[in-house]
Amino acid sequence: MKLRLTTKRLVLAVFLILGLLVIRPVTFLIYTYIKDPKASKSLRSAVVNDASQLNRTKVDTVVKAHKEINRAITQISDLIKEANASGKKISIAGAQHSMGGHTIYPGGILLDMNSFNYMLLDSTADVLNVGSGALWNQIIPYLDQYGKSVAVMQSNNSFSVGGSISVNCHGWQPNSPPIASTVISLRLINAKGEVLSCSRTENKELFSLVLGGYGLFGVILDVKLRVTDNKIYKAEQFVVKSADYVREFEQWMEKNPTTGLAFGRININPDHFMEEAILSTYVVTDGPVQKLHQKNTFAAIRRTVFRGSANSEYGKNLRWKLEKSSVSLVDGKTFTRNELLNEGVEVFQNTNQNYTDILHEYFIPKAAVPEFIKALQSTIPKYRVDLLNITVRNVMTDKDSYLNYAHQEVFGFVMLFNQKRSKEAEADMQALTRKLITISISLNGAYYLPYRLHATKEQLLKAYPQASAFFELKRKYDPTEAFSNSFYKVYAN
Ligand SMILES: Cc1cc2nc3c(=O)[nH]c(=O)nc-3n(C[C@H](O)[C@H](O)[C@H](O)COP(=O)(O)OP(=O)(O)OC[C@H]3O[C@@H](n4cnc5c(N)ncnc54)[C@H](O)[C@@H]3O)c2cc1C
């Protein structure tokens, strides 16, 4: 009797121990599975587009990058290996504000990097370690907490780090080369699915190809980016003759070397078309730096005045008058650097379903700027296009990127057009773009590559004599052409 009781207890104890041994790990694993953020959500057979609204394309799959570093690495490496095996192409997307299908390959896999956006600041070294999907509108508020700001970026905050580096963007930072100059190093997942560190000393050639490389050499995983101090800037604006713009700009910079941001805007209203410009400058000044807050100064009024100039000569004349008279209102006002940089493209974006905003940019050596302005004055009115805006930015020589658009100090002319979404309007825009590229090339300048693919291949090779070698190196580093997009498809073959 006693023996039976002991055996029963023994069996029970064994079951209990076994139960504990099994139940604990099983519960733990179930809990871990539930808590674990699921890997990429893949969207099959999606229709995608970019900021042009003219690139609706069916792709095989959209894969969203994982948020966590190690999981993202495994996910992207596996994706590349699978693509190599199946022959499918991978295009890489940040915020998709490029306009020529640079993030899209028909029938391909679109890798969306947006959720890969971690940030870690080393404030003693002024270096931001950042996931390539992070947008400036996430980075600026993060840096603001530490009194820091982005060193070089576009004039708006809507773009991703990966996209900005892959086009080698530039902005209102005078006396500065494009963003490539602020990249200390980056990690790239190459065509074999391997993670490589690239910098000016490690994988040097690949580093220069990836800066301004349009996603053709691999996936930029994360970046060490040089940052700068967030300071107070005092605004001063001047109305100048457009023909004197470079002289006025240089005189200002000589007298005010602490100018942190500066740009020009040329009038596009038909009365005295392109004869005047407003030079806007922001000089470092003393005072306590306030924390960033959502301010959006008069955004609704500024938008209404701006959009009112679309398809309207009256609206264009009115806008220029208002912009000129607001010069005295802005003069002397102070802003933090982060406030000035933290504005999204949506403030002025076209929301009319029948139209879209199309950008062009031309990089002109400074000695040729007056001649370029003259050529624009006589050329643009001959075409059926609706020009809404021209800004002018100073860009210094770029010594870092392979597919370089600033071989010397240049002034970038950014033009914004309101374009009807029709075949005829697209043909008119193509004709104008080709003409303006020809003029730029004749002045030893170049055009910017992230916009519509209107340039002929011959024009691309003239504006970027290094393009053939760039495409050959692409095939050296990515022999199966796993990474591709519409830009590569049009110009590489
Ligand atoms: C309204 C507007 C204003 C603009 N203003 C400026 C300006 O002031 N200055 C300026 O220089 N440019 C300007 N641009 C152009 C802009 O800089 C580019 O379109 C830039 O690519 C936008 O970043 P994105 O994140 O949208 O890039 P995307 O369009 O998503 O990608 C651009 C390219 O980068 C590649 N890419 C993206 N992420 C990665 C990654 N992680 N790894 C590898 N490749 C990647 C893509 O494949 C693609 O080829 C403007 C564009 C618009 C629409």
Side-chain angles (χ1 to χ4, degrees):
M1 180 72 182
K2 206 175 169 193
L3 191 72
R4 266 172 64 196
L5 204 70
T6 319
T7 318
K8 248 187 176 174
R9 277 197 190 136
L10 211 70
V11 172
L12 209 74
V14 169
F15 268 108
L16 207 72
I17 291 167
L18 270 178
L20 276 177
L21 278 176
V22 176
I23 290 167
R24 183 142 188 239
V26 169
T27 322
F28 173 81
L29 289 176
I30 292 173
Y31 176 73
T32 310
Y33 176 79
I34 294 167
K35 238 188 96 195
D36 187 23
K38 293 293 157 279
S40 67
K41 283 189 208 102
S42 296
L43 212 72
R44 294 208 73 86
S45 224
V47 174
V48 296
N49 209 334
D50 59 24
S52 70
Q53 306 303 336
L54 301 171
N55 275 321
R56 265 176 70 83
T57 310
K58 203 167 166 190
V59 295
D60 177 76
T61 326
V62 175
V63 176
K64 289 185 188 294
H66 204 287
K67 214 172 166 49
E68 197 266 316
I69 302 179
N70 290 327
R71 289 184 136 243
I73 293 177
T74 311
Q75 174 202 23
I76 296 168
S77 302
D78 288 351
L79 188 73
I80 295 168
K81 286 172 198 156
E82 278 163 36
N84 275 329
S86 68
K88 288 209 176 85
K89 305 291 178 198
I90 300 176
S91 66
I92 310 159
Q96 295 196 277
H97 280 288
S98 45
M99 295 183 164
H102 301 73
T103 57
I104 301 171
Y105 189 92
I109 300 164
L110 188 147
L111 173 62
D112 173 349
M113 292 302 292
N114 280 301
S115 39
F116 190 70
N117 60 0
Y118 80 90
M119 291 172 245
L120 199 62
L121 175 70
D122 175 352
S123 51
T124 47
D126 275 354
V127 175
L128 177 70
N129 214 334
V130 59
S132 67
L135 305 178
W136 299 125
N137 60 28
Q138 297 162 338
I139 294 171
I140 294 170
Y142 172 82
L143 291 178
D144 195 77
Q145 304 170 71
Y146 304 97
K148 298 292 169 194
S149 181
V150 181
V152 174
M153 59 175 272
Q154 298 89 336
S155 49
N156 294 96
N157 66 6
S158 312
F159 313 107
S160 73
V161 167
S164 301
I165 289 175
S166 301
V167 302
N168 197 15
C169 76
H170 62 93
W172 294 351
Q173 297 75 28
N175 280 345
S176 170
I179 192 172
S181 62
T182 70
V183 179
I184 294 162
S185 64
L186 55 87
R187 286 198 296 170
L188 185 81
I189 308 190
N190 72 4
K192 290 185 192 154
E194 304 160 335
V195 181
L196 299 180
S197 283
C198 303
S199 68
R200 287 171 187 79
T201 50
E202 232 180 325
N203 294 308
K204 262 162 69 174
E205 184 180 63
L206 195 52
F207 183 65
S208 72
L209 289 160
V210 170
L211 303 168
Y214 289 86
L216 295 172
F217 294 86
V219 179
I220 301 171
L221 183 70
D222 45 19
V223 185
K224 282 192 180 7
L225 208 56
R226 179 170 58 76
V227 295
T228 188
D229 290 335
N230 182 30
K231 291 200 169 151
I232 303 243
Y233 289 158
K234 190 165 88 165
E236 281 199 51
Q237 296 191 326
F238 314 90
V239 180
V240 300
K241 282 192 184 140
S242 62
D244 298 338
Y245 183 81
V246 171
R247 191 160 46 82
E248 298 276 358
F249 172 85
E250 288 193 321
Q251 278 174 4
W252 173 265
M253 292 303 296
E254 214 178 289
K255 282 194 205 135
N256 301 278
T258 63
T259 304
L261 297 171
F263 65 93
R265 180 168 286 130
I266 296 182
N267 76 301
I268 49 84
N269 53 317
D271 297 352
H272 310 288
F273 180 61
M274 290 191 67
E275 285 178 13
E276 289 180 314
I278 297 173
L279 170 59
S280 298
T281 62
Y282 298 89
V283 178
V284 174
T285 186
D286 292 332
V289 180
Q290 306 280 336
K291 289 274 171 250
L292 188 65
H293 52 280
Q294 225 38 54
K295 201 153 83 170
N296 245 344
T297 335
F298 308 118
I301 300 176
R302 282 158 59 218
R303 178 178 171 86
T304 308
V305 170
F306 186 81
R307 293 301 342 166
S309 66
N311 287 326
S312 166
E313 287 198 0
Y314 172 78
K316 287 183 174 62
N317 284 324
L318 176 69
R319 189 178 124 215
W320 187 245
K321 272 190 205 134
L322 291 172
E323 282 176 353
K324 277 208 297 186
S325 47
S326 70
V327 161
S328 57
L329 298 176
V330 175
D331 259 356
K333 291 249 175 332
T334 56
F335 305 87
T336 68
R337 178 182 174 95
N338 282 341
E339 263 172 2
L340 293 165
L341 294 179
N342 201 32
E343 181 163 274
V345 294
E346 60 285 351
V347 174
F348 296 109
Q349 206 166 32
N350 205 333
T351 47
N352 185 326
Q353 290 303 303
N354 300 320
Y355 285 82
T356 184
D357 286 336
I358 293 299
L359 280 160
H360 297 199
E361 184 166 2
Y362 303 94
F363 300 104
I364 306 299
K366 67 178 176 183
V369 165
E371 205 178 330
F372 184 64
I373 293 175
K374 256 195 201 155
L376 293 179
Q377 280 171 321
S378 62
T379 306
I380 294 175
K382 292 183 189 142
Y383 288 79
R384 281 177 302 180
V385 292
D386 185 27
L387 175 60
L388 292 187
N389 206 41
I390 305 181
T391 60
V392 186
R393 296 102 185 263
N394 171 243
V395 187
M396 300 305 273
T397 312
D398 169 17
K399 297 188 179 127
D400 295 299
S401 77
Y402 194 97
L403 201 58
N404 175 337
Y405 56 74
H407 317 273
Q408 54 179 301
E409 180 180 357
V410 290
F411 281 79
F413 283 72
V414 182
M415 297 175 201
L416 179 73
F417 294 87
N418 170 44
Q419 183 186 316
K420 199 162 189 192
R421 297 190 204 179
S422 71
K423 274 195 180 144
E424 295 74 25
E426 182 70 346
D428 288 339
M429 192 60 83
Q430 184 187 65
L432 173 67
T433 310
R434 288 185 175 172
K435 179 71 186 168
L436 296 184
I437 292 173
T438 301
I439 294 169
S440 305
I441 291 169
S442 75
L443 297 173
N444 206 15
Y447 68 98
Y448 202 18
L449 298 172
Y451 300 135
R452 302 289 297 150
L453 307 178
H454 288 324
T456 62
K457 188 165 175 187
E458 202 191 355
Q459 287 183 318
L460 175 88
L461 296 175
K462 278 193 181 149
Y464 292 86
Q466 70 281 45
S468 296
F470 172 87
F471 290 132
E472 269 169 39
L473 286 165
K474 145 76 178 170
R475 289 184 278 267
K476 173 185 145 191
Y477 285 102
D478 176 14
T480 59
E481 297 173 311
F483 301 107
S484 195
N485 55 40
S486 301
F487 166 74
Y488 183 68
K489 214 166 160 248
V490 167
Y491 292 110
N493 300 315

